[in-house]
Amino acid sequence: MEYILAMTGASGIAYGVDILKKLPSRKVLILSNGAMEVARYELKGKISEKTLRGYADESYGEGDFGSPVASGSHKFDAFMIVPASMNTIGKIAAGVSDNLVTRVASIALKERRKLVIVFREMPLSTIHLRNLLTLSEAGAYILPASPGFYHGPSGLDDLFSFVTSRVFDIIGVDNKFIKRWGD
Ligand SMILES: Cc1cc2nc3c(=O)[nH]c(=O)nc-3n(C[C@H](O)[C@H](O)[C@H](O)COP(=O)(O)O)c2cc1C
């Protein structure tokens, strides 16, 4: 199995980090320039870019169009964008493939592979909502980064785990990170 995870320049980088750490191999990471900018604020040097890239088997920047994942002939099982900026969401919804993140998203849609989009934005404009609807109609899974509270979270890690668990359920990765309703 190969999973590709992209982080873009939205708040909520920690959600992407949690997924990256827990994801089984083989895992490929794509960091947009915006993601690295936001990571500087949100990770506050606690996790360096090198460490982040080290969690993955391969990692690329947004301009790496020569990488294997830039081609539709390269097989992968799911592409996750966590967190997804409204900029990246708007571009994918408009069919723009101007960097490696939007290119892999367009491949996922055209090849009918799993595309999982986790966004944190609040509130959402009508344009954001239309873009998300367009992507949902095209087959993407749309997940707001809004963890539940019924599993009795005791801290941030439990909230991250909730979102990671929902993403893993969609991409078919068995997990027991949270107490499920009815357990
Ligand atoms: C600290 C910081 C936080 C940001 N948070 C968000 C956010 O939550 N949502 C969003 O859509 N854009 C946010 N932005 C703006 C995006 O990073 C910007 O639109 C960028 O062009 C996105 O590029 P990308 O989609 O290629 O990663 C933030 C920027 C900074 C510097």
Side-chain angles (χ1 to χ4, degrees):
M1 304 299 272
E2 180 175 293
Y3 305 101
I4 308 178
L5 170 71
M7 296 186 198
T8 61
S11 184
I13 294 289
Y15 288 112
V17 174
D18 193 64
I19 289 174
L20 181 61
K21 283 165 130 177
K22 290 173 176 156
L23 203 57
S25 284
R26 167 168 195 86
K27 45 186 166 182
V28 178
L29 173 67
I30 305 172
L31 290 170
S32 75
N33 295 342
M36 290 193 279
E37 170 80 13
V38 178
R40 273 193 281 280
Y41 289 94
E42 299 198 341
L43 303 180
K44 293 189 172 65
K46 277 185 236 154
I47 302 174
S48 69
E49 187 186 329
K50 193 172 167 220
T51 305
L52 204 54
R53 290 184 185 275
Y55 292 135
D57 298 296
E58 272 171 47
S59 75
Y60 299 103
E62 65 172 48
D64 287 334
F65 281 109
S67 63
V69 296
S71 167
S73 64
H74 179 85
K75 294 277 188 188
F76 61 85
D77 297 281
F79 180 42
M80 295 149 275
I81 310 180
V82 190
S85 72
M86 288 300 132
N87 171 62
T88 290
I89 285 170
K91 286 195 290 184
I92 300 167
V96 173
S97 307
D98 65 337
N99 65 27
L100 193 58
V101 179
T102 50
R103 168 66 184 155
V104 178
S106 92
I107 290 171
L109 292 175
K110 81 186 174 79
E111 303 289 339
R112 304 281 195 266
R113 297 184 198 148
K114 281 183 178 167
L115 172 60
V116 179
I117 292 178
V118 178
F119 69 93
R120 183 226 48 90
E121 197 75 7
M122 184 176 71
L124 294 166
S125 71
T126 306
I127 293 169
H128 296 149
L129 289 164
R130 283 206 183 102
N131 287 338
L132 289 166
L133 177 62
T134 298
L135 293 180
S136 176
E137 286 172 343
Y141 294 83
I142 308 295
L143 284 76
S146 59
F149 289 84
Y150 55 81
H151 63 306
S154 57
L156 278 178
D157 284 345
D158 288 345
L159 297 176
F160 299 145
S161 286
F162 185 96
V163 173
T164 297
S165 175
R166 301 318 303 264
V167 170
F168 280 16
D169 286 352
I170 286 169
I171 65 171
V173 173
D174 198 27
N175 70 90
K176 292 187 175 60
F177 305 139
I178 57 160
K179 192 168 173 284
R180 293 172 189 272
W181 186 249
D183 276 356

